[in-house]
Amino acid sequence: EQTKANLDAGACLAIGLRFAGTADPAAQRLLTKKLKAFRDISRADYHPALMASLPMRSMDLDRSTLETCQSVTAVALGMVMAGTGDLNALRVLRSLRKRADLDTNYGVHMATHMAIGFLFLGGGRFTFATDPLSTACLLMAAFPRFPTSLTDNRCHLQAFRHLYVIAARHRCVEAVEVDTRQPVDVRVALETGRGLEVAMLPRLLLASGDMRSIALQSERYWPVTIQQVA
């Protein structure tokens, strides 16, 4: 069971790196399901030394393993939904905080709040890129060996947790009025590879390479259309 839990957590981290900043619905559903499973599974009350020396099939997973798997999956979910401020993802991440007690490891708190920070990256104006350098930086920032205290740098230098900044990209599109130079809320039609979508600006455009055109749909302003150059 311990091996399977670690394999599942590693797969979740790979999904988080692959779909970072895309808000992919399938990836979100899978990571949310796995995160809830790690959160709700029963945890063993045995001492870790006893579990290591006398393992039994009837034993539940130890707390350390489950907290690590939970933290890895939470960070992966935060990477996928980066900058979206998604309410469902926030509910799940906040539920992890409510289950914390005095014995909860410092690394669990760090990973949970890191995931929430990713969710509101740059105040909803930034998200993550998926080029090789960005993926490498995200892997170093989310390295699945979490510290036990503020000064724990034995297995992973905590300064590397800040390398996610290199992967962050500003992708918030705003409409600015010519006369006042102030941002305004306008309705637009977004044409992407998946079809036509009506949305309001400002908006976070997650898949920049997938955008084909943006057409202004407002009675107050001229119907401007911006098309992507082939």
Side-chain angles (χ1 to χ4, degrees):
E1 289 296 325
Q2 189 180 62
T3 302
K4 182 180 183 300
N6 283 290
L7 287 172
D8 287 346
C12 289
L13 178 59
I15 291 173
L17 293 171
R18 169 62 180 83
F19 295 99
T22 63
D24 184 83
Q28 181 190 9
R29 286 194 300 270
L30 176 60
L31 292 175
T32 301
K33 179 181 177 181
K34 286 294 182 182
L35 182 56
K36 289 181 178 179
F38 285 131
R39 180 196 64 186
D40 298 334
I41 193 171
S42 59
R43 307 183 180 193
D45 296 327
Y46 303 102
H47 192 278
L50 176 62
M51 297 183 68
S53 59
L54 297 172
M56 294 183 294
R57 288 186 177 273
S58 59
M59 285 182 174
D60 295 324
L61 285 173
D62 61 286
R63 176 169 183 157
S64 177
T65 298
L66 286 174
E67 286 184 342
T68 299
C69 294
Q70 172 187 292
S71 299
V72 170
T73 309
V75 172
L77 178 61
M79 287 192 291
V80 172
M81 305 304 295
T84 63
D86 184 75
L87 187 58
N88 292 326
L90 178 62
R91 286 196 184 105
V92 178
L93 294 173
R94 288 188 65 187
S95 70
L96 304 182
R97 296 177 55 190
K98 295 179 180 179
R99 289 173 176 261
D101 53 28
L102 294 177
D103 295 325
T104 301
N105 199 300
Y106 165 78
V108 178
H109 291 290
M110 185 206 70
T112 303
H113 289 86
M114 189 176 184
I116 295 176
F118 286 170
L119 194 62
F120 296 94
L121 189 66
R125 296 172 181 268
F126 284 72
T127 189
F128 289 133
T130 54
D131 59 275
L133 177 60
S134 299
T135 301
C137 291
L138 283 176
L139 177 59
M140 295 182 70
F143 189 76
R145 186 63 177 176
F146 298 103
T148 59
S149 66
L150 285 168
T151 57
D152 181 13
N153 293 284
R154 292 172 298 174
C155 299
H156 184 65
L157 187 63
Q158 291 194 47
F160 290 159
R161 300 288 177 189
H162 299 280
L163 289 177
Y164 71 88
V165 175
I166 299 177
R169 298 289 187 275
H170 185 278
R171 287 184 181 168
C172 182
V173 177
E174 293 181 323
V176 179
E177 196 172 53
V178 175
D179 296 331
T180 62
R181 298 292 181 179
Q182 296 296 319
V184 293
D185 297 334
V186 293
R187 187 173 63 180
V188 295
L190 305 175
E191 183 184 359
T192 65
R194 294 170 297 209
L196 194 65
E197 176 186 358
V198 178
M200 293 292 295
L201 294 185
R203 177 185 171 86
L204 188 68
L205 297 183
L206 297 170
S208 57
D210 195 35
M211 185 62 58
R212 295 179 180 177
S213 68
I214 302 177
L216 200 63
Q217 293 185 340
S218 173
E219 298 179 354
R220 183 176 179 182
Y221 303 102
W222 288 101
V224 179
T225 300
I226 302 175
Q227 295 182 337
Q228 184 181 26
V229 179

